[in-house]
Amino acid sequence: MVMKLEPIFLKEIPSSLEEGKLYISKEYGVSIHLCICGCKNKTVLPFKEQPNPIDNNHWGFVDNNGIVTFSPSILNSGLPCKSHYYIIDNNVILC
């Protein structure tokens, strides 16, 4: 299980992903990473840096010089693993 993610900032998301990497495209407002449980399924997070509290379609995103936080929690309910966690200051916090 991955407990820390390394943010990788780029314009376009690569087709092949590495475990433990959090790929972030600020230009397109999307992030993707492999599920932290190790199942290798992709987890996509559309985000806004200035989120609207009633916007249920985007995560809030904060980048503090490469230390990133997403809110609210990530729930992979559509995956068999059903992983549920937060990404806070690049760390994975299990729910």
Side-chain angles (χ1 to χ4, degrees):
M1 183 169 296
V2 174
M3 297 307 291
K4 190 165 188 86
L5 294 169
E6 177 188 352
I8 307 293
F9 294 92
L10 33 73
K11 183 174 182 181
E12 294 183 9
I13 303 297
S15 57
S16 115
L17 307 177
E18 290 182 46
E19 255 185 302
K21 309 276 185 186
L22 178 63
Y23 300 91
I24 302 166
S25 173
K26 288 185 176 182
E27 289 86 353
Y28 294 105
V30 69
S31 173
I32 190 168
H33 63 280
L34 294 177
C35 182
I36 56 100
C37 81
C39 70
K40 306 232 187 270
N41 283 297
K42 294 177 182 177
T43 301
V44 178
L45 305 174
F47 67 82
K48 290 188 177 179
E49 293 189 70
Q50 302 295 323
N52 179 335
I54 59 171
D55 182 354
N56 293 324
N57 297 316
H58 294 87
W59 274 262
F61 170 74
V62 176
D63 172 19
N64 187 9
N65 295 316
I67 308 296
V68 301
T69 297
F70 285 86
S71 62
S73 65
I74 295 111
L75 173 59
N76 286 325
S77 60
L79 299 179
C81 65
K82 307 279 190 244
S83 291
H84 188 194
Y85 51 94
Y86 288 92
I87 299 174
I88 300 173
D89 296 340
N90 299 352
N91 295 298
V92 174
I93 311 296
L94 299 176
C95 293

